[in-house]
């Protein structure tokens, strides 16, 4: 059997999206894949600091995180790029001119920076661990690195942002947009370059819109049964729901375990 290089999304793929819990059969399958000599990695839009503890829980030491901009091999963080600085500043300045509250992640951590308190006043606190820092004496150009941007804007008003699509974004929560790297495919290509692996031996698993970019013709793309229709249409194979042992089902179907 040829060695395969597996890249798994987290939410809704390795986990039950309704509960957020890791699917036990997925964890067991990953162990079997690694026992059979295959390479296994996480491929997530999550920041590295969020992805690493989950990877450890699953028993995976290789990670593509931060939307493809961070590469970890054998538990060693090789690189972790912030957003394009000029594009990020231009987006923030336009959002600011529209009266939108803004949070900035200046590092790969729970810390966010505000130059005013509009975001909290407009949509409240984020529903995940976050440390807020307010500094009214700086501008967005004064922030050294920008890893993520959170912009408080209603979906019906987002067309007012002429720079809406200048950086990858997704609306995880209705009140605000999250701007982050949207380059899972680039992260996979870079990981494979580090490993000197053959692209045709890559296998990816995903379920949501931000996984569309990593469903490529060069390799095998598998959509979970609970995936969005657009991803299923692009997939080479549609397996069962994540919580119905979908990862195990696909890997047994193809004879990888």
């Amino acid at each position: 059997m040829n060695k395969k290089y597996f890249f798994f999304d987290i939410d809704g793929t390795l986990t039950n999206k309704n509960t957020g819990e890791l699917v036990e059969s997925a964890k067991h399958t990953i162990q079997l894949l690694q026992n059979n000599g295959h390479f296994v990695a996480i491929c997530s839009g999550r920041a590295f600091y969020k992805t690493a503890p989950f990877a450890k829980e699953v028993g995976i030491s290789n990670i593509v995180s931060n939307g493809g901009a961070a590469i970890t091999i054998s538990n060693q963080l090789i690189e972790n790029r912030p957003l394009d600085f000029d594009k990020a500043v231009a987006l923030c300045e336009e959002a600011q001119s529209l009266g939108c509250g803004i949070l900035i992640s200046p590092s790969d951590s729970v810390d966010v920076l505000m130059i005013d308190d509009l975001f909290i006043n407009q949509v409240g606190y984020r529903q995940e661990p976050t440390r807020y820092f307010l500094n009214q004496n700086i501008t967005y150009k004064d922030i050294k690195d920008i890893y993520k941007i959170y912009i408080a804007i209603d979906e019906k008003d987002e067309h007012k942002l002429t720079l809406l699509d200048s950086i990858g974004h997704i609306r995880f929560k209705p009140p605000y947009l999250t701007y982050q790297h949207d380059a899972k495919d680039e992260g996979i290509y870079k990981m494979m370059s580090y490993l000197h692996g053959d692209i045709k031996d890559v296998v990816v698993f995903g379920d949501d819109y931000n996984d569309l970019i990593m469903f490529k013709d060069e390799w095998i793309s598998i959509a979970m049964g609970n995936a969005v229709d657009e991803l299923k249409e692009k997939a080479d194979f549609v397996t069962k729901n994540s919580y119905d042992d979908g990862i195990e089902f696909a890997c047994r179907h193809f004879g990888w375990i």
Side-chain angles (χ1 to χ4, degrees):
M1 182 188 303
N2 287 341
K3 179 179 180 178
K4 295 295 183 183
Y5 297 81
F6 291 89
F7 293 85
F8 293 96
D9 172 54
I10 297 178
D11 302 301
T13 301
L14 290 173
T15 70
N16 181 330
K17 206 163 192 174
N18 296 322
T19 65
E21 295 179 353
L22 171 65
V23 177
E24 281 302 316
S25 63
K27 181 177 180 179
H28 180 63
T29 298
I30 284 168
Q31 293 172 342
L32 292 177
L33 288 171
Q34 293 179 131
N35 290 344
N36 287 346
H38 299 298
F39 175 89
V40 177
I42 297 291
C43 189
S44 176
R46 293 186 186 187
F48 169 73
Y49 82 91
K50 286 184 180 179
T51 312
F54 181 87
K56 184 177 181 180
E57 178 187 358
V58 184
I60 294 176
S61 59
N62 310 293
I63 306 168
V64 174
S65 56
N66 190 18
I71 305 293
T72 302
I73 301 176
S74 297
N75 293 320
Q76 296 297 312
L77 182 62
I78 307 298
E79 60 179 89
N80 191 3
R81 291 182 291 106
L83 294 171
D84 180 284
F85 185 75
D86 292 336
K87 289 181 179 180
V89 169
L91 174 65
C92 290
E93 290 178 342
E94 183 182 35
Q96 182 183 35
S97 72
L98 293 173
C100 301
I102 302 167
L103 300 180
I104 299 292
S105 292
S107 62
D108 193 301
S109 71
V110 298
D111 297 342
V112 296
L113 181 61
M114 308 176 290
I115 66 173
D116 55 47
D117 56 5
L118 282 178
F119 187 95
I120 293 174
N121 290 337
Q122 290 171 357
V123 302
Y125 293 98
R126 300 177 63 224
Q127 297 176 10
E128 57 183 279
T130 306
R131 290 193 305 184
Y132 300 85
F133 293 88
L134 175 64
N135 188 341
Q136 296 174 304
N137 297 316
I138 63 171
T139 68
Y140 294 113
K141 291 179 181 177
D142 298 322
I143 302 173
K144 180 182 177 183
D145 291 317
I146 299 177
Y147 280 83
K148 293 198 178 190
I149 305 168
Y150 306 93
I151 297 178
I153 188 167
D154 194 273
E155 187 171 6
K156 65 178 175 55
D157 294 323
E158 64 180 36
H159 68 278
K160 297 177 182 177
L161 278 171
T162 64
L163 298 176
L164 175 70
D165 297 324
S166 60
I167 302 175
H169 61 278
I170 190 167
R171 190 176 286 276
F172 289 114
K173 303 292 182 182
Y176 61 88
L177 285 170
T178 299
Y179 279 84
Q180 58 186 36
H181 285 285
D182 184 24
K184 285 186 174 184
D185 57 336
E186 292 180 19
I188 292 172
Y189 285 125
K190 186 161 286 189
M191 176 76 84
M192 293 299 288
S193 177
Y194 278 119
L195 299 171
H196 304 292
D198 194 328
I199 289 296
K200 68 177 177 58
D201 291 322
V202 168
V203 181
V204 300
F205 283 76
D207 74 298
D208 214 339
Y209 293 106
N210 65 334
D211 297 318
L212 283 166
I213 197 165
M214 70 174 183
F215 273 39
K216 299 290 186 180
D217 293 337
E218 294 99 312
W219 53 62
I220 298 175
S221 301
I222 299 176
M224 307 307 295
N226 50 279
V228 296
D229 290 340
E230 288 87 342
L231 199 68
K232 290 180 179 179
E233 292 169 4
K234 200 174 180 181
D236 297 303
F237 181 76
V238 178
T239 187
K240 296 181 179 180
N241 295 335
S242 63
Y243 46 83
D244 291 328
D245 306 324
I247 287 177
E248 179 183 15
F249 179 83
C251 290
R252 292 197 182 281
H253 171 83
F254 284 97
W256 295 319
I257 59 172

